[in-house]
Amino acid sequence: MSNTKTLSVNGRSYQSMQQPLVVVCVDGCEQEYINQAIQAGVAPFLKKMVEQGTVLSADCVVPSFTNPNNLSIVTGVPPAVHGICGNYFYDLETKQEVMMNDAKYLRAATILASFADAGAKVAVVTAKDKLRGLLGHKMRGICFSAEKADQATLEQNGIDNLLELVGMPLPSVYSAELSEFVFAAGVKLLASERPDLMYLSTTDYIQHKYAPGTPGANAFYAMMDHYLTQLDTLGAVIGLTADHGMNAKTDSAGKANVIYLQDVLDARIGLEKTRVILPITDPYVVHHGALGSYATVYLGATADVAANVADAADKIRAIPGIELVLTRAQAAQRFELPPDRIGDLVVVSERLTVIGTSASRHDLSELKLPLRSHGGISEQRVPLMFNRKLSAIPADHRLRNFDVFYLAMNHTQ
């Protein structure tokens, strides 16, 4: 670092650290995964964090999806500030449904880029490439995805020859090895490059497949524990959180509980009168079929917009399995979302239920196991763990996953 001791980023102050800081976002990490892994005896380092570090619970951003939460973590603020409120949205300017993975949609600076500008050595490793451009926006340093590690160049990613460095073959995007590559790369980078700040972000492929305490889940957390041990041995301060939790979305027989909201609205309001957008949508739909517990609904322009919105809201609330229906203004306030990037209505389903558009638009043939997904309020509680004791945190502070950098930099002892 330069002589700068404290930086202000998006209205929050961050103190530079004497030891390397590694922040880990474990995609889809329902808190029970960690509890069960510790109880099974396969996660001794996580147990050590419980006993000698600090273990808290925090709220993630709703919608509890990957992009809005990862960007909240690296900016330290909610989507109302940074602008990324889903993986996918309806662009009112272009009248198109688009992925929100282009940095042009980002409205705030990241902690990573700000510290890099101040002279810190910064590294980012993410599992899927969809996040790389957002996380590394305007950041000088190392930034690459495990998905495309074989294509990394010194010019574009700040590093090359990654497969040789990490000592692993290029992993499949649908595998536990994609996340393992992230951890293995993090250990190699900390040992060889000694970054001041490092951000590691995994994929939730395993969490979509396996419930907490199952052999598949415990094997994943044992792998993670192995690499966390090495990061700790190398002297890193570790802050661990999640972008969202995960829940089963099935009935007692294991059949997916799906509300095909576009089909319902077409039948009750009329064809082409509404547009249902699912912000969970991304290129990687094999493990969740683009089904999550959050949707946003756009209504066509009418003479009486308020009455149109109220009528649609009432019809949606009457659907079994719906937990919450909010207007744009209500959702923007409650969930701290940018109002220009959500629909006229925001819809959240109950814990065991997901929302789809039309049945014909969802291919569930690749779901070999009972559906597990996320997106709603029921997946909002996530772990917030540190391998250091924290100094006093104000009792009235609502802990969020995007406090992880702030707490690690300002409150670790």
Side-chain angles (χ1 to χ4, degrees):
M1 283 287 292
S2 66
N3 291 327
T4 303
K5 296 297 184 183
T6 303
L7 287 183
S8 178
V9 185
N10 302 318
R12 304 185 80 178
S13 293
Y14 298 87
Q15 186 173 340
S16 60
M17 301 192 59
Q18 301 304 309
Q19 306 109 321
L21 170 61
V22 179
V23 170
V24 181
C25 176
V26 185
D27 198 342
C29 185
E30 179 68 26
Q31 296 179 105
E32 191 64 11
Y33 282 110
I34 292 175
N35 296 338
Q36 291 290 336
I38 291 173
Q39 290 178 26
V42 301
F45 181 74
L46 290 169
K47 182 180 180 182
K48 180 181 174 182
M49 289 180 76
V50 172
E51 294 171 348
Q52 301 179 21
T54 303
V55 176
L56 305 166
S57 289
D59 286 334
C60 76
V61 165
V62 175
S64 47
F65 294 136
T66 296
N67 284 19
N69 276 283
N70 270 271
L71 270 299
S72 288
I73 291 169
V74 301
T75 60
V77 288
V81 180
H82 64 69
I84 307 299
C85 56
N87 305 338
Y88 187 79
F89 84 122
Y90 183 59
D91 191 329
L92 290 171
E93 291 184 6
T94 63
K95 305 297 184 185
Q96 291 181 320
E97 299 178 22
V98 296
M99 284 288 294
M100 206 185 298
N101 58 356
D102 192 311
K104 70 182 182 182
Y105 297 117
L106 187 58
R107 293 171 170 169
T110 69
I111 298 162
L112 304 166
S114 298
F115 270 86
D117 285 345
K121 184 181 285 189
V122 181
V124 174
V125 187
T126 182
K128 295 176 182 175
D129 204 60
K130 70 175 183 179
L131 267 174
R132 180 183 51 81
L134 287 167
L135 295 176
H137 183 52
K138 295 185 177 181
M139 191 200 90
R140 292 181 295 180
I142 295 170
C143 183
F144 62 90
S145 70
E147 179 185 0
K148 297 188 177 180
D150 61 330
Q151 301 174 33
T153 65
L154 198 60
E155 181 182 16
Q156 293 294 321
N157 306 94
I159 196 167
D160 56 10
N161 298 320
L162 277 170
L163 300 186
E164 182 180 342
L165 173 69
V166 177
M168 286 180 63
L170 186 72
S172 164
V173 73
Y174 295 115
S175 71
E177 287 73 25
L178 192 72
S179 291
E180 182 173 2
F181 195 99
V182 172
F183 285 114
V187 169
K188 293 291 187 180
L189 288 174
L190 186 58
S192 62
E193 302 291 333
R194 203 64 180 175
D196 299 298
L197 293 180
M198 184 158 59
Y199 184 66
L200 306 178
S201 179
T202 71
T203 173
D204 58 2
Y205 175 72
I206 289 297
Q207 289 81 359
H208 273 286
K209 288 171 68 71
Y210 301 116
T214 60
N218 281 348
F220 178 89
Y221 283 87
M223 173 275 293
M224 186 175 85
D225 195 87
H226 167 73
Y227 290 105
L228 291 174
T229 301
Q230 294 181 62
L231 292 170
D232 179 71
T233 300
L234 288 166
V237 172
I238 299 171
L240 184 149
T241 191
D243 53 352
H244 55 77
M246 187 75 68
N247 274 305
K249 302 293 180 179
T250 60
D251 61 18
S252 56
K255 181 182 177 182
N257 281 326
V258 187
I259 298 168
Y260 290 109
L261 188 56
Q262 190 68 69
D263 287 342
V264 173
L265 294 179
D266 287 350
R268 297 184 183 182
I269 296 178
L271 290 172
E272 300 184 359
K273 299 291 186 182
T274 64
R275 181 190 295 266
V276 176
I277 299 293
L278 306 178
I280 194 174
T281 306
D282 64 16
Y284 316 90
V285 298
V286 167
H287 48 303
H288 55 61
L291 295 169
S293 294
Y294 176 102
T296 184
V297 182
Y298 292 82
L299 305 172
T302 62
D304 192 344
V305 176
N308 194 28
V309 169
D311 178 63
D314 287 341
K315 287 181 167 62
I316 297 171
R317 288 190 189 99
I319 303 170
I322 294 297
E323 179 173 353
L324 189 67
V325 182
L326 300 174
T327 65
R328 174 185 281 116
Q330 290 169 337
Q333 180 177 21
R334 176 166 176 172
F335 298 139
E336 300 172 286
L337 301 173
D340 60 323
R341 290 182 175 173
I342 56 178
D344 298 289
L345 293 171
V346 162
V347 183
V348 179
S349 59
E350 295 175 350
R351 184 174 70 87
L352 298 177
T353 304
V354 286
I355 302 171
T357 53
S358 300
S360 61
R361 294 179 62 183
H362 293 269
D363 180 9
L364 306 186
S365 62
E366 294 296 325
L367 291 176
K368 307 303 182 186
L369 295 169
L371 178 64
R372 297 176 55 77
S373 196
H374 51 95
I377 300 167
S378 49
E379 290 79 45
Q380 192 172 19
R381 295 298 283 175
V382 294
L384 185 59
M385 303 175 64
F386 302 87
N387 66 336
R388 300 285 194 277
K389 293 291 186 184
L390 296 189
S391 57
I393 304 167
D396 59 349
H397 178 73
R398 179 193 179 192
L399 288 170
R400 310 298 298 275
N401 59 351
F402 57 79
D403 289 329
V404 61
F405 276 99
Y406 180 83
L407 293 174
M409 290 178 159
N410 299 333
H411 288 274
T412 51
Q413 298 177 4

